[in-house]
Amino acid sequence: MFVYVGEGPLDGNEQIFLSMEEAISAIQIDFCHYPPQTQLFVDLSPLILDPDIRIVNDARYNGLWISTPGRRRTSRMRKIAPLDLGRLLIDTLLTSPPPALVMAEICHRTFMTHAAPSDSGPGANAGVWICMDMEGFRCRQCGRCCRELNYRHELSSADYRRWQELGREDILERVATITRNGQIDSYAIWIAPGTRHFLEICPWLMPAPVKNKAARWICSIHDIKPDICREYPGIKKHAMMTGCIGFGK
Ligand code: SF4
């Protein structure tokens, strides 16, 4: 088990500070983003739920079981679906956030990286320093993230503004704006110009000149590509969970 005994941020890799609210939100996104992480939910339960609640993950009895709080030894257990356990964990975190030390341990287990508590992060907030664990990453230009991940609704207003300022009509005509009450609320990419239909793959992805047998891809708007593409995979766990090969030999 990871135990942080120092003070202040960790050394040796890029880190980000998450306030307690941001940490809970990041954990929630992690829970929703990937297939149900049953063993992770079980491992987090003692840190988040009432200590009287027992969670058992037993293949012989076909899955996850949860006891009724307050009757640890005697109560009958009921079956619970992994996603329902995930929801219970998030609801409990939202209603009673743990101390920063415990939150750091929850982040460590969830994001599979070093996490250190802090009572005085940016803005003097309590929260957690998260190590991004990206040492050794090198993009192999396999194009998998561009071709297979769903980022259709992840464009930011900063991306859109950047292309407006650069006068990149060729890019803007492939973006659909979604309005609410007359204001742009969000965006959708990439669409066939003049339609509201999504293109099958990113129109800026081009095959690179082949140097060896492995196919490689390049982004033809690399310098001004959307932040969501620029920041991928962000953290090692995300790379592992989405099939990125950037940590391979
Ligand atoms: S999946 Fe990983 S290695 Fe492949 S192009 Fe995307 S970032 Fe690079």
Side-chain angles (χ1 to χ4, degrees), residues 212-223:
N212 51 36
K213 280 187 183 162
R216 300 175 81 184
W217 298 81
I218 51 175
C219 174
S220 58
I221 57 166
H222 180 70
D223 292 342

Side-chain angles (χ1 to χ4, degrees), residues 1 40 43-44 46-47 104-113:
M1 183 174 92
L40 171 65
D43 292 344
L44 292 178
L47 296 172
E105 180 60 29
I106 294 168
C107 288
H108 161 61
R109 294 185 191 188
T110 304
F111 306 126
M112 299 162 71
T113 186

Side-chain angles (χ1 to χ4, degrees), residues 26-37 41 83 87 90:
I27 292 164
Q28 188 166 20
I29 290 168
D30 186 287
F31 283 12
C32 299
H33 207 89
Y34 307 127
Q37 302 171 79
F41 296 165
L83 279 178
R87 271 183 219 112
I90 290 295

Side-chain angles (χ1 to χ4, degrees), residues 44-119:
L44 292 178
S45 296
L47 296 172
I48 298 174
L49 301 180
D50 183 303
D52 279 352
I53 299 179
R54 268 189 310 151
I55 304 288
V56 176
N57 184 16
D58 193 333
R60 288 171 306 171
Y61 299 105
N62 200 19
L64 275 178
W65 296 78
I66 185 169
S67 68
T68 308
R71 300 182 187 170
R72 180 150 74 175
R73 297 290 164 215
T74 54
S75 72
R76 293 183 59 167
M77 299 187 77
R78 67 181 165 85
K79 207 166 175 183
I80 183 167
L83 279 178
D84 289 338
L85 178 55
R87 271 183 219 112
L88 177 63
L89 296 178
I90 290 295
D91 288 348
T92 310
L93 280 177
L94 288 169
T95 44
S96 45
L101 185 68
V102 177
M103 184 61 93
E105 180 60 29
I106 294 168
C107 288
H108 161 61
R109 294 185 191 188
T110 304
F111 306 126
M112 299 162 71
T113 186
H114 295 300
S118 174
D119 288 329

Side-chain angles (χ1 to χ4, degrees), residues 108-186:
H108 161 61
R109 294 185 191 188
T110 304
F111 306 126
M112 299 162 71
T113 186
H114 295 300
S118 174
D119 288 329
S120 55
N125 282 328
V128 182
W129 286 98
I130 307 283
C131 176
M132 307 304 277
D133 208 11
M134 290 296 289
E135 222 162 18
F137 172 79
R138 182 170 63 83
C139 176
R140 304 308 207 263
Q141 295 179 286
C142 69
R144 182 187 159 96
C145 53
C146 316
R147 287 177 291 129
E148 296 182 16
L149 301 186
N150 182 357
Y151 49 85
R152 287 176 167 172
H153 297 283
E154 306 289 341
L155 194 78
S156 70
S157 50
D159 292 320
Y160 194 78
R161 259 199 320 276
R162 186 184 317 130
W163 297 331
Q164 281 180 315
E165 285 163 10
L166 291 169
R168 290 298 300 260
E169 292 304 322
D170 56 331
I171 301 178
L172 293 170
E173 69 182 0
R174 290 172 171 82
V175 178
T177 53
I178 296 149
T179 53
R180 184 179 292 178
N181 300 328
Q183 303 283 329
I184 294 180
D185 182 59
S186 59

Side-chain angles (χ1 to χ4, degrees), residues 3-29:
V3 179
Y4 180 72
V5 293
E7 288 180 1
L10 295 155
D11 295 324
N13 209 327
E14 197 180 341
Q15 302 151 43
I16 55 164
F17 180 80
L18 299 181
S19 67
M20 298 295 272
E21 296 75 26
E22 288 167 340
I24 294 172
S25 166
I27 292 164
Q28 188 166 20
I29 290 168

